[in-house]
Amino acid sequence: MDDAALLIAELLTRRWLPRSHPRVKRALVDAELFAQVEQRLAQSGLRWMDSIYADHVSVALLPAAQNGVMGEAGLNANNNLELPRDAQALLVVLWALIVLPKRERQTSRAQEGDAGQSDFFPAAKPLPQAASVSPVLSYKALLEDYGPQLGKKLRLDANLKLLERHGFILRRQDEIAEGPLLDVLLDYDVLAPRILDGALAEVLVRERAAEESEPNQPPAPDHQALAAMDMEASQDQGSARPDGRL
């Protein structure tokens, strides 16, 4: 069995692999091997999924295979993981709290510990790895800030376990970190504008104004912001995609 077949078999078995995996690293630099992987995946109705901003890669359905695999009901569903409404809202909240600041740090080539330091050649820095700039959330803070809107402790705990099982988050005692699929399967180009420029635009403006007027006060959770993200997660049929990307 050649490297392309072994890589595909391992991806299908594990659902995701780190970019540091030897076969993944080789596929990302070997154009011939990568072409073989893509061709063989396509023959099975699958496609390679990765992002330069994420530390893992995965596979998902090709658009041409969606109808035959998912059926009409699956195509019309607002997600293909059978996530309940409050779990979808929680996923969007976690994505916004983790991925948005992570992307900002990555695109500015700023390591988390370098905030506030001047840099004459910021573009010369390599893109920081996700693990080095991805925020880590406190479970207690999440429960206190968003628990009442997300079903309180019982539902929050159940949905966190569900999202962890699907690879969207990692749990380390009281910490919630980015999972291997959070920035791979959720489409940043679709979701970010909906949050930053859509229903939350006015909320974010008010929060920035409040932070400027009271720089020493941490921003309080905005329940209107949560409601807007909940609406995006549960009502927008186009934001959930049956090809493996939500």
Side-chain angles (χ1 to χ4, degrees):
M1 187 177 291
D2 58 24
D3 285 343
L6 287 172
L7 176 55
I8 292 172
E10 195 163 4
L11 268 174
L12 294 177
T13 301
R14 301 182 184 276
R15 295 176 51 211
W16 61 77
L17 289 173
R19 297 175 73 92
S20 58
H21 188 285
R23 292 192 185 92
V24 175
K25 289 175 65 176
R26 184 185 166 196
L28 292 175
V29 298
D30 187 332
E32 182 178 353
L33 175 59
F34 188 73
Q36 291 178 5
V37 171
E38 284 196 310
Q39 181 181 14
R40 295 186 189 183
L41 285 172
Q43 291 172 350
S44 301
L46 299 171
R47 60 175 174 148
W48 177 275
M49 298 291 296
D50 73 346
S51 168
I52 61 172
Y53 300 100
D55 290 343
H56 294 78
V57 301
S58 185
V59 294
L61 281 174
L62 280 171
Q66 293 174 16
N67 188 55
V69 175
M70 306 299 299
E72 185 176 353
L75 289 175
N76 293 330
N78 61 3
N79 77 92
N80 63 342
L81 298 176
E82 298 183 357
L83 296 178
R85 183 174 180 270
D86 53 356
Q88 296 176 52
L90 175 60
L91 178 59
V92 174
V93 169
L94 294 174
W95 185 91
L97 293 175
I98 294 175
V99 173
L100 289 179
K102 183 197 77 168
R103 286 288 189 100
E104 184 177 357
R105 293 167 185 168
Q106 287 177 309
T107 53
S108 64
R109 303 294 199 273
Q111 296 287 349
E112 192 168 11
D114 296 336
Q117 297 183 4
S118 60
D119 192 339
F120 290 105
F121 304 103
K125 286 186 176 182
L127 192 69
Q129 291 186 340
S132 66
V133 293
S134 184
V136 176
L137 308 180
S138 165
Y139 166 77
K140 293 180 180 178
L142 183 71
L143 178 62
E144 180 179 352
D145 293 345
Y146 299 106
Q149 290 75 34
L150 293 173
K152 299 184 178 179
K153 188 177 188 304
L154 184 63
R155 288 298 301 168
L156 184 66
D157 289 347
N159 287 328
L160 284 173
K161 290 180 181 178
L162 184 60
L163 296 181
E164 183 179 19
R165 186 163 66 247
H166 283 301
F168 291 116
I169 61 170
L170 297 174
R171 299 288 303 276
R172 307 187 191 100
Q173 296 181 346
D174 189 44
E175 296 180 339
I176 302 171
E178 177 184 353
L181 299 182
L182 187 64
D183 203 10
V184 175
L185 296 188
L186 274 76
D187 195 333
Y188 181 93
D189 293 335
V190 172
L191 197 53
R194 294 182 182 277
I195 293 177
L196 297 175
D197 304 325
L200 292 183
E202 295 182 2
V203 174
L204 294 174
V205 170
R206 290 201 304 271
E207 287 187 352
R208 292 192 186 101
E211 291 176 3
E212 292 175 359
S213 62
E214 299 181 11
N216 295 325
Q217 296 293 328
D222 194 312
H223 301 310
Q224 182 179 349
L226 179 59
M229 285 190 283
D230 187 6
M231 183 182 301
E232 292 291 348
S234 60
Q235 294 184 355
D236 188 349
Q237 300 292 322
S239 64
R241 299 169 52 164
D243 61 355
R245 302 193 71 165
L246 296 189

